[in-house]
Amino acid sequence: MVDAGDDAVRRIRETVLDRLRDGGTGLEALGRVCHACVELLPIDGASVSVMTGFTGRESLYATDEVAARIEAVQFSLGEGPCFQAFDTRRPVLAPDLRTVAWPVFAAEIAAEPVGALFGFPLVAGAISIGAMDMYRRAPGWMSAEEVGLALRLVDVVTLVLLGLRHGGVDGAWSDLPLSHVHVHQATGVLIAAFDLPPEQALARLRGYAFATGRLVDDVADDLVSQRIRPEDLGLP
């Protein structure tokens, strides 16, 4: 299985890089690797996000609506496998969602068909880029061989993102969508209104979203569109 996996990863890597050199977009490349993960591993979906810490996170690709929901809830709460994988620079394997270390996150996605979650950091030497999440409908572990294959696929994602970041494969970060533009704008509104540090402004957005049972993206959209005021978030 390991040899077959190595061969599959090599083919995916070559195909992705060829597509990029021929003018393909970074989003297409990420999508190809994510869907390859679903085909080669015992998972049902995957997603990729780039991160710069607590306040900086962009979801770049999700294979399906469930994976996208997992991304959205993590960003809204500021907790979950991608944050832990990014912070620790180590894989986070949660074979049973009922026993994870993020009870609020687990409660928020309890209605989704998610039994297991696996988070992998996207790192290259001392550079931390983001994280890749994989989910499975049924609880259960990955085998050691499957984790090894997942890590090799994660390396391909890291290679693509590094190339796009530095322009090494005829791409640029501008190829990739910004999924939380309104959150950044809303954070700026709170910073300007109350002279808050960015971390506190985002924490306030997340706290209000949690208290009202909404995603932080939706609250940010209301704030930017002036359907709610900064004062409505309970700030002094």
Side-chain angles (χ1 to χ4, degrees), residues 174-199:
S174 58
D175 283 341
L176 304 171
L178 297 178
S179 58
H180 301 297
V181 172
H182 280 179
V183 174
H184 302 316
Q185 293 172 342
T187 301
V189 169
L190 295 179
I191 291 171
F194 301 110
D195 193 26
L196 293 172
E199 294 82 2

Side-chain angles (χ1 to χ4, degrees), residues 18 33 45 48 74-75 81 83 95 99 126 145 170 172-173 185 188 192 204-205 210 215:
D18 285 344
V33 184
V48 173
Q74 286 188 92
F75 180 76
F83 281 97
T99 60
E145 291 80 7
D170 301 328
W173 282 118
Q185 293 172 342
R204 290 286 186 167
L205 276 175
F210 179 74
L215 292 177

